[in-house]
Amino acid sequence: MDWIDLITWDNRVVVQQTLSWILILAAFIWGGGPERAVAATWLICFKLVGFLRENLVGDEIQLVGIDFYWALSDLTAGVSWVVIALYANRNYTLGIAGLQVLAMTAHLARGMAEAVSPIGYVFMVAAPGWGQLLLLAIGLTRHILRKRKHGQYRDWRIQKPEIGSGTEATVLPGKKAWQQAEQPNWRDELK
């Protein structure tokens, strides 16, 4: 089975749905903040809204023009994942956001040029989802292994101290209070 057979395979949707549910649950159980945020975005934008659309409108995808439902869903997920990627202390989130930008531009290309074939449109919108699931699985696995080996570490690049915690007076020269972690971690020793 080559890659084109995988895309046109009848059970592709069932396999992707099953894998995404497993990864969403695993991210909520074992993941940190970024893993949960990525999984929550997938859950809301593609599972919950998809379920509502299927029950209210039907599950047919419009291939003649732009499918505005999927375009709005992809746009919402794209904005969310770009924000998560910018603030997460993880590298794989950049790949997930980048793949979502590709899916978003598919809708733009379809709107600008009618010459885009329906098969190409579906491929450009659906194919990044497989890469995103793969990246989430790799990122979650690396997070679990890193946490086992080194213990807790920061989920986000920016951490603001709690008000009244006394960290305002202990700011190191040249650093702002929110740039300093409250407790040292293994990454602080690498500097």
Side-chain angles (χ1 to χ4, degrees):
M1 179 181 285
D2 60 350
W3 65 273
I4 198 73
D5 291 335
L6 182 64
I7 293 168
T8 59
W9 186 36
D10 292 338
N11 296 327
R12 172 191 56 82
V13 174
V14 174
V15 170
Q16 189 175 27
Q17 294 289 341
T18 305
L19 286 174
S20 63
W21 275 114
I22 290 169
L23 281 172
I24 288 169
L25 291 174
F28 280 120
I29 294 170
W30 295 295
E35 289 80 18
R36 290 180 181 147
V38 167
T41 301
W42 188 287
L43 182 66
I44 292 168
C45 291
F46 301 121
K47 297 291 185 191
L48 181 64
V49 176
F51 175 76
L52 291 175
R53 178 181 189 239
E54 183 178 315
N55 288 322
L56 296 176
V57 180
D59 60 351
E60 291 183 14
I61 298 174
Q62 178 182 346
L63 299 177
V64 177
I66 297 175
D67 189 332
F68 288 103
Y69 159 75
W70 287 116
L72 183 62
S73 186
D74 281 338
L75 178 67
T76 305
V79 169
S80 298
W81 282 334
V82 166
V83 170
I84 291 167
L86 291 174
Y87 291 104
N89 194 25
R90 313 282 196 272
N91 291 332
Y92 76 92
T93 56
L94 294 168
I96 290 175
L99 286 171
Q100 190 60 32
V101 168
L102 289 174
M104 290 167 30
T105 57
H107 300 292
L108 184 63
R110 180 67 175 170
M112 293 176 68
E114 287 296 321
V116 175
S117 74
I119 295 172
Y121 178 52
V122 169
F123 180 76
M124 290 188 300
V125 171
W130 288 98
Q132 289 166 333
L133 288 176
L134 177 66
L135 287 172
L136 178 58
I138 291 170
L140 181 61
T141 303
R142 291 191 65 216
H143 165 73
I144 292 167
L145 294 174
R146 192 179 306 119
K147 194 172 174 183
R148 271 190 205 153
K149 184 175 181 180
H150 299 290
Q152 285 290 85
Y153 64 100
R154 288 189 306 223
D155 285 338
W156 305 101
R157 293 173 198 248
I158 296 176
Q159 287 186 331
K160 294 187 179 184
E162 295 177 17
I163 297 174
S165 64
T167 57
E168 296 84 14
T170 60
V171 176
L172 294 175
K175 287 198 174 189
K176 297 178 182 170
W178 56 267
Q179 290 176 319
Q180 298 179 20
E182 291 181 18
Q183 294 187 12
N185 58 40
W186 65 273
R187 289 186 178 200
D188 295 330
E189 295 174 8
L190 297 175
K191 295 178 183 176

